[in-house]
Amino acid sequence: MTSIVELFPKCRKLAYDARQQLAQVQNGVLPAPDLYISVDELMHQLDVMDQLVLRETPNQRQVWKRKILELREECLSLKRQGQHYDRLVNANVRQEKERNELLRRRRKTPTNNESDLQNLAEEAQSLHQSHLLVDDLLNTGQASLAGLVDQRSRLRGVRRMVVDIGNRLGLTNTTMRIIERRDITDDISYLQE
């Protein structure tokens, strides 16, 4: 039986490979289903790691759970991005097909009302599909914003924990302000480079 220590680097490698495949999907080199295979394999390995984490000591268990959670979030993000680019590619193909169909119809002269009604019905269906795609994009945007709000709240919690640890270690408020000013100065000097 493999241990969590052996399996974690393999999962990191799978995540790296999935990021590389996502870049290839974005460039149109690789079809999205190939990315999905890698993401599914990574999810399976993370599920195995969830089982293995129960065998660790309580102190190590928290560390491993956090690492697994980070990998799982990255995995889900890769999957969402892959689905987004897959939808874009499929939408472009469908739009090209519809464009060619419309141009072909335009070149023909309609002979009866039935073909006009059929054309209107197809146009209504195409409009409906476009509405569905816009709704899907809005839902994706809302999910992204919700993720950012969650990250913000977690980072606020980390800041509070750092201040609490500083207080326990005997750091004064003056020392903490000096550290914060140093952080701001470092950020400014980093931006100027």
Side-chain angles (χ1 to χ4, degrees), residues 118-155:
Q118 184 179 3
N119 291 343
L120 287 174
E122 289 175 3
E123 183 179 336
Q125 182 181 8
S126 175
L127 184 62
H128 177 69
Q129 289 175 345
S130 298
H131 284 295
L132 291 177
L133 284 174
V134 168
D135 289 342
D136 190 34
L137 287 173
L138 287 173
N139 289 337
T140 303
Q142 288 174 344
S144 297
L145 286 174
L148 290 172
V149 167
D150 184 43
Q151 287 177 3
R152 180 180 180 202
S153 66
R154 272 191 268 146
L155 288 175

Side-chain angles (χ1 to χ4, degrees), residues 38-82:
S38 295
V39 169
D40 289 342
E41 175 63 24
L42 177 57
M43 289 298 279
H44 173 71
Q45 295 296 327
L46 290 172
D47 291 339
V48 170
M49 285 180 64
D50 279 336
Q51 296 299 319
L52 292 174
V53 78
L54 299 175
R55 297 180 183 167
E56 296 295 320
T57 62
N59 292 338
Q60 289 295 315
R61 196 174 297 155
Q62 291 300 322
V63 172
W64 283 114
K65 282 184 180 181
R66 184 181 46 81
K67 288 181 179 183
I68 292 170
L69 179 65
E70 288 173 2
L71 273 177
R72 193 173 300 277
E73 287 176 356
E74 181 178 359
C75 182
L76 292 174
S77 173
L78 289 170
K79 188 172 187 174
R80 279 193 305 269
Q81 290 177 17

Side-chain angles (χ1 to χ4, degrees), residues 7-49:
L7 197 55
F8 185 71
K10 292 177 185 175
C11 288
R12 294 284 306 261
K13 173 74 167 101
L14 282 172
Y16 174 78
D17 291 343
R19 282 192 302 271
Q20 297 300 317
Q21 289 176 346
L22 176 63
Q24 291 176 345
V25 167
Q26 290 171 344
N27 292 330
V29 176
L30 187 72
D34 291 347
L35 171 65
Y36 300 150
I37 291 171
S38 295
V39 169
D40 289 342
E41 175 63 24
L42 177 57
M43 289 298 279
H44 173 71
Q45 295 296 327
L46 290 172
D47 291 339
V48 170
M49 285 180 64

